[in-house]
Amino acid sequence: MSDDQKLADEWAAALGAQENGGDPSAAPIEDFDDDGSSGKAPLSVEERKKLDSILDIPVTITMEVGHAKISIRNLLQLNQGSVIELERLAGEPLDVLVNGTLIAHGEVVVVNDKFGIRLTDVISQVERIKKLQ
């Protein structure tokens, strides 16, 4: 077994992803099942081709601990050991953004000295669309 596979297995175990097929990089997406078992009509060949054309497009996923607004004067006075107070309280979930759009909230996990995030609340598509308007 390769080191990458071992690491993937450890993440899967730590995040409970083994219930979803053991692949920690793939979240279950019912709408995209080939067998139509999600209760919806299966995708046509043409729809599948359209979907396949966008599935490999890279996106940037960001976990935001918090933010703060400070003046340039205060920014220039920062040095090693300075503390910047964030608007978020300790223990609050982190924001998970994809290309700058909030999609979920989560909590930090650590496996083998590497950080990860466990999603605790995923924003519904309806809510995401409302925020765009």
Side-chain angles (χ1 to χ4, degrees):
M1 184 179 288
S2 71
D3 288 341
D4 288 341
Q5 184 59 43
K6 287 179 185 175
L7 184 58
D9 290 345
E10 289 173 11
W11 275 105
L15 300 176
Q18 290 183 333
E19 300 160 350
N20 298 326
D23 184 358
S25 66
I29 303 175
E30 292 180 13
D31 295 348
F32 300 153
D33 288 346
D34 285 331
D35 62 0
S37 61
S38 66
K40 298 179 183 178
L43 296 175
S44 69
V45 174
E46 184 176 312
E47 290 171 328
R48 172 58 67 183
K49 285 181 183 179
K50 288 179 183 178
L51 182 61
D52 286 344
S53 68
I54 65 167
L55 289 178
D56 290 330
I57 295 173
V59 296
T60 301
I61 186 167
T62 306
M63 277 48 92
E64 185 176 279
V65 175
H67 61 272
K69 289 187 179 183
I70 63 172
S71 68
I72 293 175
R73 178 180 320 281
N74 290 342
L75 177 67
L76 293 173
Q77 293 174 352
L78 294 176
N79 55 38
Q80 186 172 352
S82 295
V83 175
I84 301 171
E85 183 178 345
L86 303 176
E87 90 305 337
R88 190 163 306 211
L89 298 173
E92 279 190 71
L94 306 180
D95 291 339
V96 180
L97 303 116
V98 172
N99 288 349
T101 301
L102 179 68
I103 61 138
H105 299 285
E107 59 191 16
V108 175
V109 294
V110 179
V111 175
N112 288 340
D113 298 325
K114 291 190 178 191
F115 287 113
I117 189 162
R118 176 182 293 122
L119 300 181
T120 57
D121 178 42
V122 177
I123 307 299
S124 72
Q125 289 180 353
V126 173
E127 290 297 318
R128 284 181 269 170
I129 290 170
K130 283 181 184 177
K131 289 182 181 184
L132 292 175
Q133 298 173 350

